[in-house]
Each structure stands twice: as C-alpha cells, then as structure tokens.
Amino acid sequence: AVMGVEIEVLQPGDGNTYPQKGDMLTMHYTGTLSSDGTQFDSSVAKGRPFQFVIGIGQVIRGWDEGVTQMSLGEKSVLKISSDYGYGPRGAGGVIPPNADLNFEVELLAVGEKKAPGFTGGSGGGGCVMS
C-alpha cells in the first residue's frame, strides 16, 4: 500500500504554474474509496468547483502535499493513504476509518490565473460591480 500520496497524471498542466502555500485554488474533484470505488463526494456532481487555500491545513494532508505538485490545468488522480486522509476517524459517515482514498482532481485556477477553458466565476460574465 502506498504511504502518503501518489499522483497519476491523466492530463498534464502547463508545467509552469504550481500552487504555493497560501494560494487560493479552484479545483474540481471526485472522491472515491480505493477499496471498492464507492464515490463519496464530487464537486463535479454539485456543478461548482471547490475553492480553498493550499498549504495551511484547510484540506487533508494528501491534498496539501499532492496538489502542490500539480501545475495549472492538470488533471490527476491523487491516491492517498488513510494517514494522509481522514485516518482512524473517517469522515461524516461516508468515509470509513483507515480508508485509502482516490481523488480525481483538476486544477482550474491558481489565484487569479485560470486554466485554459475554465471561465470560472459564478456563471455571470462581464465586469463585477463593486
């Protein structure tokens, strides 16, 4: 079994723009249990990307360590061992204790820099009134 996080690249990013600690990231993800493939969460299904700040413990360790190795626009599978996931506690009744997790993730934006093809925002175009 893998310890920590292993990254399987599905679609390379720009190879240039990597998240730094403290960056606000915008990502799509689909999380599944590695044991049987049960999907427990997906921003894609919800139709809205997930935004968070990287490197400060807002997300599980496997994300904090794995996502910083991805470049803008990259789509990858993060294979995360339970100690880098939710550990012995599990989560929310959907992730059992000591579960290894797979997240298919796509890095859509790093701060204000958006991946090609990602328009972002909350659906409205044009300028935002302050």
Side-chain angles (χ1 to χ4, degrees), residues 38-85:
T38 301
Q39 182 177 312
F40 56 81
D41 196 9
S42 173
S43 66
V44 182
K46 292 175 187 155
R48 60 174 187 272
F50 175 56
Q51 288 193 305
F52 68 101
V53 177
I54 190 75
I56 61 167
Q58 274 192 8
V59 288
I60 57 173
R61 188 170 168 194
W63 272 51
D64 264 349
E65 301 206 2
V67 172
T68 49
Q69 300 173 54
M70 296 173 63
S71 61
L72 186 61
E74 181 176 319
K75 187 184 250 189
S76 286
V77 177
L78 302 179
K79 299 176 179 185
I80 300 173
S81 63
S82 68
D83 55 323
Y84 276 58

Side-chain angles (χ1 to χ4, degrees), residues 83-97:
D83 55 323
Y84 276 58
Y86 295 94
R89 290 191 320 271
V94 289
I95 298 171

Side-chain angles (χ1 to χ4, degrees), residues 114-130:
K114 292 176 180 164
F118 175 60
T119 52
S122 49
C127 56
V128 177
M129 302 298 289
S130 52

